[in-house]
Amino acid sequence: MEHDALDAGEARYELVISVDARRSGQYSDAEKPRMRERIYRVLETAFAQAGVGRDAVHMEDRGDGVLVSVPGRIAVTRLLGLWMVEVHENLREENRSLLVPLGLRVAMHVGPVRHDSRGISGRAVDLTCRLADSAVARQLLDRERADLVLAVSDSLYVDVVSAGGKFIEPARFSPARLALKEGEVSAWFHLPGRPAPDIGPIAAEEPGAPAGGPPAAPVGGPEAALAAMDAALAARAAAAAGRRVDDGDGDDEDGAERYRAQGDLSVHRNNVYQQPVHIGRVTGDSHRKD
């Protein structure tokens, strides 16, 4: 007891797992409790099947998902391997009777975690949640019509996944470079029961990234990812050349065509209209169009 009291608030290296439901906002208020029941049934049954006691892990409810931390005394390979296999099988079983299958995005990372009376916190927690919510994870799940996608941090892949193990096949993971709020990171993605996913056509930006910010790009390694990113940014800059929106500073030394919009701005070039066209807004009480 004394030792636990002294450890309160101190960072401990633990495995952090973030689980999010696909398109949770599209569930009605009546459907959400059933969706949440399914998530917990899938996860908790998998813990039991993997021989991990429910009381051995910390679980926090996130409304449309669950945040988990697992102490170091439990092998990370068991969660990456057997537990993920059981999660996938349990999820498939749940989905057999559903017209709209439940999809889960799972992310994992090992790092320092702080516990307090309200839950867990730390950069390791933040990164894990960002990976589960990344555009790559979201779009892989949709595009591949999958039930489950797993994202792991680069350090977890290098330290654990790359060595392989029971139910862990490093060749079935694909890397991607992500532009998160905290900066660029590398991560690895896996669709259980399938070959390594092709991340090539994934959308250009992560949720929350600044407009025009660095894209998430496919990689064959970190260097290739950065090269692809640079190429995408260069293409975007080239496409924007010759047309800019004036920022009001009067600086137009590059001679580019500029527009300053204080209301609505609509620019039309080289169009042929076959029928009457209305451009603008209806104002006042009349039906006259501006």
Side-chain angles (χ1 to χ4, degrees):
M1 295 291 291
E2 236 175 83
H3 178 69
D4 289 343
L6 290 173
D7 280 349
E10 293 183 358
R12 314 168 193 174
Y13 270 79
E14 297 184 340
L15 173 68
V16 183
I17 306 173
S18 177
V19 181
D20 284 340
R22 169 173 48 199
R23 293 198 182 91
S24 60
Q26 295 184 7
Y27 286 86
S28 69
D29 286 353
E31 294 168 333
K32 281 187 177 180
R34 291 192 290 272
M35 178 265 287
R36 286 160 47 78
E37 285 176 8
R38 293 186 184 102
I39 293 175
Y40 276 97
R41 189 159 53 239
V42 165
L43 300 182
E44 291 178 337
T45 302
F47 278 125
Q49 292 165 330
V52 179
R54 172 64 184 83
D55 57 351
V57 300
H58 168 84
M59 293 183 72
E60 289 181 28
D61 183 73
R62 290 300 177 98
D64 60 350
V66 182
L67 182 63
V68 180
S69 66
V70 183
R73 67 178 182 272
I74 298 175
V76 174
T77 51
R78 189 182 305 182
L79 280 302
L80 275 167
L82 180 57
W83 183 75
M84 280 303 303
V85 168
E86 299 296 354
V87 167
H88 186 219
E89 290 302 315
N90 294 342
L91 183 58
R92 291 177 64 194
E93 185 63 30
E94 288 284 338
N95 283 336
R96 289 185 199 281
S97 60
L98 300 179
L99 292 177
V100 179
L102 173 64
L104 295 180
R105 303 187 307 274
V106 179
M108 295 187 186
H109 173 57
V110 172
V113 177
R114 295 182 184 273
H115 290 253
D116 58 33
S117 60
R118 294 176 176 83
I120 60 175
S121 62
R123 291 184 179 179
V125 176
D126 295 342
L127 174 58
T128 309
C129 293
R130 296 276 191 258
L131 296 182
D133 195 44
S134 68
V136 174
R138 289 174 176 273
Q139 293 182 46
L140 272 178
L141 201 61
D142 288 342
R143 191 191 66 192
E144 300 298 326
R145 300 180 182 274
D147 297 310
L148 180 66
V149 60
L150 170 65
V152 301
S153 65
D154 188 57
S155 60
L156 183 56
Y157 179 87
V158 171
D159 294 341
V160 181
V161 176
S162 63
K166 190 172 184 180
F167 304 117
I168 301 175
E169 300 179 71
R172 296 197 174 198
F173 286 73
S174 292
R177 189 76 167 164
L178 310 178
L180 306 181
K181 291 181 180 179
E182 294 81 4
E184 296 177 5
V185 300
S186 293
W188 296 75
F189 294 84
H190 170 57
L191 298 172
R194 304 192 186 193
D198 176 12
I199 301 181
I202 293 298
E205 292 184 359
E206 292 296 307
V219 295
E223 296 81 5
L226 291 174
M229 243 185 237
D230 291 340
L233 290 173
R236 183 180 300 169
R243 183 172 67 105
R244 294 177 54 185
V245 176
D246 190 358
D247 56 9
D249 63 4
D251 179 14
D252 57 352
E253 68 280 356
D254 58 2
E257 187 176 7
R258 297 169 185 268
Y259 306 95
R260 182 172 183 174
Q262 293 180 333
D264 293 336
L265 174 65
S266 180
V267 179
H268 300 257
R269 292 191 182 89
N270 303 320
N271 294 310
V272 177
Y273 301 104
Q274 304 295 339
Q275 298 292 333
V277 174
H278 161 64
I279 299 172
R281 293 179 293 179
V282 177
T283 60
D285 296 327
S286 72
H287 295 286
R288 182 179 59 85
K289 294 180 173 58
D290 295 338

